[in-house]
Amino acid sequence: MEDELINVQETNELKPSTDTLIVLNIQANQVEMVKGVDQEGNLQKFPPQDKKENDQLIRVDKHGDLFSNFFSNFYRQLKNPTHFNFFKVSEYDAVNTAKDLQRYVDQASPGEKEKLKDYEVLPKNNNNPQNQNTMENNTENQEYRFQPQQIDWKTMEKFGLNQEKLEKMNAMDSLLRGFKTNTLIPITINLGTAVSKMDVRLSLQTEDTGQVAVHLHGIRKEPNLNNKFLGHVFTDEDKKNLKETGNMGRVVDLVNPKTDEIIPSVISRDRLTNELVAYRAEYMKVPDEIKGIRLDEHQKQTLLEGRALYLEGMTSKKGESFNAAVQFNADKRYVEFLFGNNQAQKQSQQHNQRQTQHTDQEAPKVFRGKELDDSQYEKFKAGQTIYIDGLTDAKGKTYQGYITFNKETSKTDFSFTNPNKLKEEAKPTEDYKTQTAVNTQGKTNEATKNVKEPLESKQQQPAHKQQEDQQKKVRKPRGQKL
């Protein structure tokens, strides 16, 4: 008995006190333990009596805010969340609590089951409209993607870091939200024979195995803009924008090197490390209001296209009026201010002027790294379909196709086959042209010009003897003798 008591005490000392989730499937009336959510959004669960699975149950720090943010993120990923009631319980009482709850729901009346709602866990909602859809609290509104216990602290120790140090540097919050640290973190790498010290930004990323890995983002002297970046070739204007504003200023197609998926994205330069960062265009969010200026749909679209937007008459926290350019930053994942950046202001004003005048200067001169010659560009910006070759995919293979500039959407449509081919195939044949010209447009055909009856479909010659006689008959012009 004494040995058993010692073992229990040792176990409690080794394992920190955490909370977990148990779930009631409303439709099946079944209580189970929660393991997680799979990639399809299905709830992963197991019976409470299965002791082998207990080590895989969800563990969440008892800290209130951490649990609330974790559960909100968990609930958002879940498919059909309303089919379940979730309850937060202590990890060590979870199995017994689940069994007790199962006995309760097996015998409870519908009215008694309704009382369970007083104890279930619900996702955290922010009902303060002042904090929604604005540029305030850019990162604070992001939910936690990771928990402290998911971090590989053994690896962190190799860099001379631990949780206490990161908390003192105010780095933990951004890491847990899935961002890079806001500042450079000094680390030490001890290789045994050599010790290296450097400043890096840290981030957490989920690997294909499901493990959370620590990534180091070292400082580069300058961004590498001369080589392809995920299949994209930087133009001179792209390079200039990235160096001067930190944002490339447009949405481009990038290629996922693992799946070859084409992903429209924006690109920015990490201003602390000079690392290039891409962000999916479909994930971009822009606020409804920026410092007292309500954005219209045109202004929102400008930001969603990655362009800079110059705003006048904004109001600072001190109540003072100010002007500045704003732009979506792929590294920060939100719309940022570009104070004192004349290049961003110039880009924004030029774009607004082009939109107002509806000129055709929006047509890009470069498509997927291939620059159009003057003849091609004139046709392309006029809305004509042009053939383009010498394009290179992510694997270095060349391909070709047809591009058309859509003036209404300012987008470039690409096709491997000529889109005009279908139109050409749908054109009327010469037979139908003759019929339409004679019967509808009042024109004449030399072979049937004296035929009195309307021409039939595909008819180009006299159809019978009567029409042959009409065609051979030559009418005498008035006032002349033959």
Side-chain angles (χ1 to χ4, degrees):
M1 183 68 181
E2 184 177 347
D3 291 340
E4 292 177 2
L5 180 59
I6 292 174
N7 290 336
V8 171
Q9 289 174 340
E10 289 178 349
T11 301
N12 287 335
E13 289 177 359
L14 291 174
K15 292 185 179 181
S17 178
T18 56
D19 286 330
T20 188
L21 291 172
I22 61 176
V23 61
L24 169 61
N25 186 323
I26 300 174
Q27 296 177 337
N29 206 45
Q30 186 71 36
V31 179
E32 295 177 287
M33 316 292 289
V34 177
K35 183 188 299 185
V37 181
D38 64 20
Q39 294 182 349
E40 285 72 37
N42 298 310
L43 181 66
Q44 295 178 309
K45 54 193 185 303
F46 56 91
Q49 65 269 20
D50 192 345
K51 296 182 180 179
K52 294 181 180 180
E53 294 281 355
N54 286 348
D55 289 338
Q56 300 183 43
L57 54 79
I58 282 181
R59 293 183 175 88
V60 187
D61 193 286
K62 282 182 173 295
H63 189 277
D65 290 340
L66 283 177
F67 186 92
S68 297
N69 285 290
F70 158 78
F71 186 73
S72 295
N73 189 40
F74 172 89
Y75 199 83
R76 178 178 56 82
Q77 299 176 54
L78 191 63
K79 185 189 298 183
N80 301 322
T82 56
H83 293 178
F84 307 100
N85 293 142
F86 292 96
F87 303 91
K88 181 179 75 168
V89 297
S90 170
E91 172 191 350
Y92 301 110
D93 295 332
V95 174
N96 291 332
T97 304
K99 291 179 178 179
D100 290 342
L101 181 59
Q102 183 66 66
R103 286 191 288 267
Y104 177 84
V105 297
D106 287 342
Q107 302 174 6
S109 65
E112 291 172 329
K113 289 181 181 179
E114 282 292 317
K115 294 181 181 180
L116 290 174
K117 292 185 177 180
D118 295 336
Y119 304 96
E120 70 173 315
V121 184
L122 294 175
K124 180 181 178 181
N125 293 318
N126 184 2
N127 297 318
N128 184 359
Q130 295 180 353
N131 290 333
Q132 295 178 354
N133 300 319
T134 70
M135 284 185 65
E136 303 295 335
N137 303 320
N138 291 313
T139 58
E140 287 77 356
N141 289 333
Q142 299 289 331
E143 298 169 338
Y144 286 104
R145 291 180 56 192
F146 305 102
Q147 300 303 315
Q149 58 267 29
Q150 292 179 282
I151 298 176
D152 184 356
W153 290 111
K154 290 184 178 180
T155 298
M156 285 290 194
E157 288 175 2
K158 295 179 181 179
F159 304 140
L161 299 172
N162 54 40
Q163 184 171 348
E164 183 180 359
K165 285 185 178 181
L166 291 174
E167 287 176 346
K168 287 182 178 179
M169 290 185 279
N170 296 319
M172 280 295 292
D173 191 73
S174 57
L175 279 177
L176 297 181
R177 294 182 191 276
F179 293 92
K180 289 188 285 188
T181 53
N182 294 327
T183 59
L184 292 170
I185 306 295
I187 66 170
T188 301
I189 301 178
N190 192 337
L191 302 177
T193 57
V195 177
S196 177
K197 295 184 178 182
M198 64 181 73
D199 292 335
V200 300
R201 293 181 75 181
L202 301 174
S203 71
L204 302 176
Q205 297 183 27
T206 304
E207 303 294 300
D208 294 337
T209 60
Q211 298 295 317
V212 177
V214 180
H215 282 234
L216 307 180
H217 305 270
I219 300 175
R220 297 158 175 78
K221 184 177 180 181
E222 60 183 18
N224 187 353
L225 303 177
N226 294 323
N227 294 336
K228 283 187 177 181
F229 178 73
L230 300 177
H232 175 68
V233 177
F234 295 105
T235 65
D236 290 340
E237 184 177 359
D238 292 340
K239 296 176 182 179
K240 182 178 180 181
N241 291 341
L242 284 166
K243 289 178 179 179
E244 295 186 0
T245 70
N247 305 315
M248 196 170 76
R250 63 190 180 109
V251 176
V252 293
D253 289 338
L254 301 183
V255 182
N256 186 321
K258 294 183 179 180
T259 63
D260 287 339
E261 177 189 4
I262 304 297
I263 306 173
S265 308
V266 289
I267 301 173
S268 295
R269 171 178 58 85
D270 183 332
R271 297 189 183 97
L272 292 178
T273 66
N274 280 325
E275 179 185 22
L276 295 176
V277 182
Y279 192 71
R280 286 176 178 257
E282 63 179 306
Y283 294 160
M284 293 171 63
K285 293 182 179 180
V286 300
D288 294 329
E289 181 180 316
I290 299 179
K291 295 296 183 181
I293 300 297
R294 194 77 178 175
L295 302 184
D296 58 32
E297 292 305 316
H298 169 68
Q299 291 171 317
K300 290 181 181 179
Q301 186 60 34
T302 296
L303 293 174
L304 288 173
E305 290 174 359
R307 303 177 187 276
L309 176 67
Y310 189 73
L311 296 177
E312 297 179 343
M314 291 180 285
T315 305
S316 69
K317 290 183 178 180
K318 296 181 179 180
E320 299 174 351
S321 179
F322 71 99
N323 308 327
V326 295
Q327 192 171 31
F328 190 91
N329 183 291
D331 180 43
K332 299 177 180 178
R333 307 181 198 174
Y334 58 76
V335 177
E336 65 174 352
F337 289 108
L338 300 175
F339 288 107
N341 197 304
N342 296 328
Q343 176 66 14
Q345 179 180 346
K346 183 178 178 181
Q347 289 175 10
S348 176
Q349 291 173 336
Q350 288 177 345
H351 173 65
N352 292 338
Q353 183 179 8
R354 288 197 297 264
Q355 290 289 335
T356 303
Q357 296 175 350
H358 298 284
T359 65
D360 56 7
Q361 296 301 311
E362 285 296 323
K365 189 73 180 290
V366 178
F367 177 76
R368 296 182 184 177
K370 177 74 173 182
E371 186 171 358
L372 307 180
D373 60 36
D374 292 339
S375 176
Q376 287 177 313
Y377 185 64
E378 288 301 319
K379 295 178 182 178
F380 176 63
K381 71 178 184 179
Q384 298 181 33
T385 297
I386 65 169
Y387 175 79
I388 184 171
D389 61 4
L391 302 173
T392 307
D393 63 20
K395 296 183 178 180
K397 295 182 179 180
T398 59
Y399 65 99
Q400 55 282 324
Y402 297 84
I403 58 174
T404 309
F405 181 67
N406 189 324
K407 292 184 178 181
E408 294 182 359
T409 62
S410 296
K411 302 292 184 182
T412 299
D413 299 324
F414 174 82
S415 175
F416 284 104
T417 57
N418 191 344
N420 291 331
K421 187 175 182 181
L422 294 176
K423 296 179 182 180
E424 293 172 358
E425 292 176 351
K427 290 180 180 179
T429 62
E430 292 299 323
D431 299 336
Y432 288 105
K433 284 183 179 180
T434 301
Q435 177 191 0
T436 303
V438 173
N439 294 348
T440 304
Q441 301 174 2
K443 298 181 179 179
T444 59
N445 174 38
E446 189 64 27
T448 60
K449 65 180 182 180
N450 293 324
V451 175
K452 297 179 180 180
E453 295 87 353
L455 300 186
E456 300 294 334
S457 174
K458 298 186 179 182
Q459 182 179 353
Q460 296 193 54
Q461 301 292 333
H464 44 73
K465 189 176 186 303
Q466 182 179 356
Q467 288 187 354
E468 288 179 359
D469 294 341
Q470 291 175 356
Q471 179 63 20
K472 291 178 181 179
K473 182 179 178 181
V474 181
R475 296 181 179 179
K476 181 175 68 173
R478 293 182 180 179
Q480 294 185 13
K481 293 182 179 180
L482 293 178

